[in-house]
Amino acid sequence: MHLFDEDKEKCVKADIISTVEFNSTGELLATGDKGGRVVVFQREQESKSQPHRRGEYNVYSTFQSHEPEFDYLKSLEIEEKINKIRWLPQQNAAYFLLSTNDKTVKLWKISERDKRPEGYNLKDEDGRMRDPATITTLRVPILRPMDLMVEATPRRIFSNGHTYHVNSISVNSDYETYMSTDDLRINLWNLEITNRSFNIVDIKPANMEELTEVITAAEFHPNQCNTFVYSSSKGSIRLCDMRAAALCDNHSKFFEEPEDPNNRSFFSEIISSISDVKFSHSGRYLMTRDYLTVRVWDVNMECKPLETYQVHDYLRGKLCSLYENDCIFDKFECVWNGSDSVIMTGSYNNFFRMFDRNTKRDVTLEASRENSKPRAILKPRKVCVGGKRRKDEISVDSLDFSKKILHTAWHPSENIIAVAATNNLYIFQDKVN
């Protein structure tokens, strides 16, 4: 199923999707874009008359989350682009989500209204205050039904916590705190308190010329509220325990795979930078994505990864041109399915990859307009390197590097995935017999 389409072939920069996230039940799906907007989709309820429509997602609410700003002290423009969205677990009829741009995290409440009060004593129906001298009777206001309205209101604005650009936010399993991460620091916030945060990691050297690495992503453990991990541009992952010390500069576990000296090249450091780190739902495993591979680590084994998956090894010989067109700095994300048995991550040419951890099978699929007719079955794609090309294969030289899938999401319990391809959102689901 394919959701938004721009008529204009030329994609407007503001419409490029920059994050995709299901809520904890999978009923809602949120996307953020470079124009600072958040679009929330809601899943259709099953109806007996149209059972095949089950699972379709329709626009539920659209709102402007962030606006462009200007930092006058540093003469810096702060983009409105949404870097990350994280849902809070639902506690009542309303939904809450956190969204962040480079500097400011906002907590949004999304709620429904289908009744409006009428019959105020002190106000007219159109909202003007009445003259108290004319009020002779007391009325009980009554609620009258009205058309359903979905409202998004900002409940908290967490600003001034970061000097550098925020790259990730993560909600803690205590549902009271969350952390926000920039290149050099990680801050812990209470969801109720906006004017102060607690710095839990600070890797900024006294002399900035000694800076050798930056933080690229961080995430809380799914059920241990004291544990979190963060990844670095040097390809390492540090697991920290907030019970050990207030400032978690000393990690309790360190995961890193030393590089094979035979593969050493000018680009080694750039491609070993980790662009995403995710705990499995069970909390037992960690998954990391660097430029060419996805690795799965056992939290209890630091010496080497359990599994390594090559995402697009055919690009190893193309690193020079990927460096020249800046693609080598692209930050691909990775996601687990609900049972932690399959992982998904994106590639170029609107391809995305899935790896089955049990059968060790993998597949390359394409999210494109040509094959996005409703209920069309996706055909696996293959990339060939040099030599003879079979008719269903695509040559590595004809891949389109401007079409990249950086952001994907997987429904928490079903085989439904959301894939952001530039300014289009595709939703695919398992074939229902």
Side-chain angles (χ1 to χ4, degrees):
M1 178 171 104
H2 174 200
L3 283 175
F4 333 93
D5 237 352
E6 296 297 328
D7 296 333
K8 306 174 278 300
E9 275 302 319
K10 280 272 173 283
C11 164
V12 185
K13 182 170 178 264
D15 296 335
I16 295 175
I17 298 172
S18 51
T19 183
V20 190
E21 188 78 8
F22 280 102
N23 75 340
S24 57
T25 60
E27 288 307 298
L28 299 181
L29 169 69
T31 65
D33 65 22
K34 288 195 170 177
R37 286 183 303 266
V38 172
V39 181
V40 179
F41 299 89
Q42 186 181 43
R43 193 175 183 190
E44 283 278 307
Q45 295 302 313
E46 264 186 84
S47 68
K48 291 206 167 70
S49 57
Q50 296 177 303
H52 65 271
R53 287 198 53 137
R54 185 187 83 91
E56 289 203 4
Y57 283 79
N58 296 317
V59 175
Y60 177 63
S61 173
T62 304
F63 58 93
Q64 188 72 30
S65 172
H66 288 69
E67 304 280 355
E69 293 170 57
F70 193 79
D71 183 339
Y72 291 97
L73 289 174
K74 294 200 183 107
S75 293
L76 264 184
E77 211 169 332
I78 299 165
E79 287 187 347
E80 64 272 42
K81 172 190 164 212
I82 309 293
N83 292 342
K84 281 281 186 292
I85 289 172
R86 288 287 178 264
W87 290 92
L88 270 62
Q90 195 178 354
Q91 315 234 323
N92 52 27
Y95 301 98
F96 288 87
L97 63 82
L98 289 167
S99 65
T100 184
N101 68 347
D102 283 342
K103 293 282 186 240
T104 306
V105 185
K106 294 185 180 180
L107 173 68
W108 288 89
K109 177 186 183 183
I110 302 163
S111 51
E112 295 183 358
R113 273 221 335 237
D114 60 354
K115 294 184 177 62
R116 65 161 186 267
E118 280 181 9
Y120 286 110
N121 289 293
L122 303 176
K123 283 194 284 199
D124 283 332
E125 293 312 321
D126 53 8
R128 283 195 306 256
M129 294 305 284
R130 288 169 59 186
D131 175 10
T134 64
I135 301 170
T136 55
T137 56
L138 272 178
R139 300 187 284 181
V140 178
I142 50 173
L143 289 171
R144 293 224 186 274
M146 60 177 242
D147 289 342
L148 179 69
M149 232 172 76
V150 179
E151 292 178 312
T153 45
R155 295 305 302 271
R156 310 255 188 289
I157 295 177
F158 305 89
S159 51
N160 304 328
H162 290 276
T163 313
Y164 307 97
H165 290 348
V166 177
N167 56 45
S168 50
I169 47 177
S170 177
V171 180
N172 199 346
S173 57
D174 63 8
Y175 306 150
E176 285 180 16
T177 56
Y178 77 91
M179 67 180 172
S180 57
T181 306
D182 68 26
D183 295 344
L184 299 180
R185 295 193 179 104
I186 302 177
N187 290 339
L188 183 69
W189 300 80
N190 186 304
L191 284 160
E192 301 294 323
I193 300 166
T194 57
N195 60 358
R196 64 176 186 272
S197 62
F198 190 74
N199 180 229
I200 52 175
V201 171
D202 186 349
I203 65 163
K204 185 182 176 184
N207 177 6
M208 278 298 264
E209 284 171 11
E210 292 166 10
L211 183 68
T212 57
E213 63 180 336
V214 294
I215 302 171
T216 54
E219 193 182 54
F220 270 119
H221 189 285
N223 47 41
Q224 294 172 10
C225 61
N226 51 282
T227 309
F228 66 93
V229 287
Y230 69 91
S231 58
S232 90
S233 57
K234 273 197 161 173
S236 57
I237 312 115
R238 290 170 174 84
L239 183 123
C240 302
D241 186 341
M242 292 193 289
R243 293 171 303 188
L247 194 61
C248 301
D249 284 356
N250 295 327
H251 50 265
S252 42
K253 289 187 181 179
F254 181 81
F255 305 85
E256 186 178 46
E257 183 161 43
E259 197 199 359
D260 178 359
N262 300 326
N263 285 342
R264 183 107 196 113
S265 77
F266 169 76
F267 305 107
S268 295
E269 278 200 12
I270 303 173
I271 63 171
S272 65
S273 175
I274 292 175
S275 53
D276 198 15
V277 58
K278 293 262 173 42
F279 271 105
S280 62
H281 295 80
S282 66
R284 175 67 192 266
Y285 303 105
L286 279 170
M287 167 168 57
T288 60
R289 170 74 210 257
D290 58 38
Y291 191 65
L292 294 176
T293 60
V294 171
R295 291 187 170 91
V296 174
W297 301 78
D298 185 326
V299 171
N300 300 328
M301 187 172 85
E302 296 164 69
C303 57
K304 63 175 198 286
L306 275 185
E307 300 149 29
T308 300
Y309 300 99
Q310 300 298 336
V311 178
H312 35 216
D313 206 42
Y314 45 80
L315 295 182
R316 215 175 267 280
K318 291 223 162 299
L319 294 177
C320 211
S321 53
L322 290 161
Y323 179 75
E324 283 164 7
N325 65 14
D326 276 355
C327 285
I328 201 166
F329 302 107
D330 285 334
K331 292 177 168 49
F332 291 96
E333 295 170 6
C334 50
V335 288
W336 300 89
N337 72 339
S339 61
D340 300 333
S341 60
V342 184
I343 54 191
M344 170 172 63
T345 191
S347 180
Y348 293 104
N349 209 65
N350 279 356
F351 288 171
F352 58 98
R353 305 269 283 135
M354 288 186 174
F355 303 96
D356 187 312
R357 297 179 58 212
N358 299 325
T359 63
K360 297 296 181 248
R361 298 213 329 254
D362 66 282
V363 65
T364 302
L365 300 168
E366 182 182 4
S368 74
R369 295 196 179 170
E370 288 68 64
N371 56 18
S372 66
K373 295 182 182 66
R375 280 167 288 287
I377 292 177
L378 290 183
K379 286 202 256 326
R381 305 298 307 258
K382 280 209 165 49
V383 178
C384 74
V385 187
K388 278 189 163 167
R389 183 165 74 88
R390 296 209 189 112
K391 76 172 192 347
D392 58 342
E393 291 184 337
I394 180 167
S395 154
V396 69
D397 296 314
S398 53
L399 293 174
D400 185 343
F401 291 109
S402 66
K403 294 180 172 170
K404 50 192 92 169
I405 291 182
L406 303 174
H407 314 287
T408 56
W410 204 309
H411 188 290
S413 55
E414 294 178 45
N415 277 335
I416 299 176
I417 57 169
V419 174
T422 326
N423 59 334
N424 295 319
L425 178 70
Y426 297 87
I427 292 184
F428 303 108
Q429 65 176 10
D430 238 2
K431 188 164 154 253
V432 186
N433 296 325

